[in-house]
Amino acid sequence: AIDRGIFRSSSFRSYKDEEKVKFGGTKEKFEVPNVKECLGSKGGSYDKLDLDGLISEGSKVSGDDIIIGKTVPCDFSKSTFSFTPLQRNYKLKKD
C-alpha cells in the first residue's frame, strides 16, 4: 500500500489578482520587485518569480515563497509618507 502512495496528499489553491489604478493615477504593475529599493516588501523568497512577476504554473512552493510580485511606483517629490512601525513616527521627504 505504501508503494501505491497511501499516505501522500496534494493541495491546490488558486489565486487571482489584477493590476489596478490607485488613487492619484498610479498603476500597479506585476514584476519582480527589487527588495533593496521597495518600501513595504514582504519577507519571503522572490526566487521563483518569472520576469512577469508571477510564479510558473506547476511550481512547488513552500510557505515562505512569494507567488505574485506587484509594485506601485511612488513619487517622493510630491508626497510625504509617514508610517508607524514599533510605535515610532517616521516621515520620508525628498528635498
Side-chain angles (χ1 to χ4, degrees):
I2 292 176
D3 292 335
R4 292 190 305 256
I6 188 170
F7 293 109
R8 294 184 187 174
S9 67
S10 295
S11 175
F12 297 95
R13 236 182 236 170
S14 62
Y15 293 90
K16 179 182 174 184
D17 202 355
E18 58 187 39
E19 295 177 333
K20 301 175 193 112
V21 177
K22 295 290 190 177
F23 182 75
T26 58
K27 185 176 180 182
E28 296 175 336
K29 182 179 179 184
F30 291 124
E31 63 183 352
V32 179
N34 185 348
V35 180
K36 295 178 183 176
E37 295 180 3
C38 289
L39 289 175
S41 60
K42 297 187 178 191
S45 175
Y46 291 88
D47 297 336
K48 295 184 180 178
L49 294 179
D50 289 337
L51 293 176
D52 61 355
L54 304 173
I55 197 164
S56 297
E57 186 176 334
S59 298
K60 292 186 180 184
V61 295
S62 64
D64 64 339
D65 288 332
I66 306 295
I67 57 173
I68 299 175
K70 185 163 58 169
T71 60
V72 178
C74 294
D75 188 3
F76 290 109
S77 64
K78 295 180 181 177
S79 302
T80 301
F81 296 94
S82 64
F83 53 96
T84 57
L86 302 175
Q87 304 298 326
R88 295 181 183 161
N89 291 326
Y90 296 94
K91 292 190 176 183
L92 300 175
K93 276 189 178 178
K94 187 174 180 180
D95 297 338

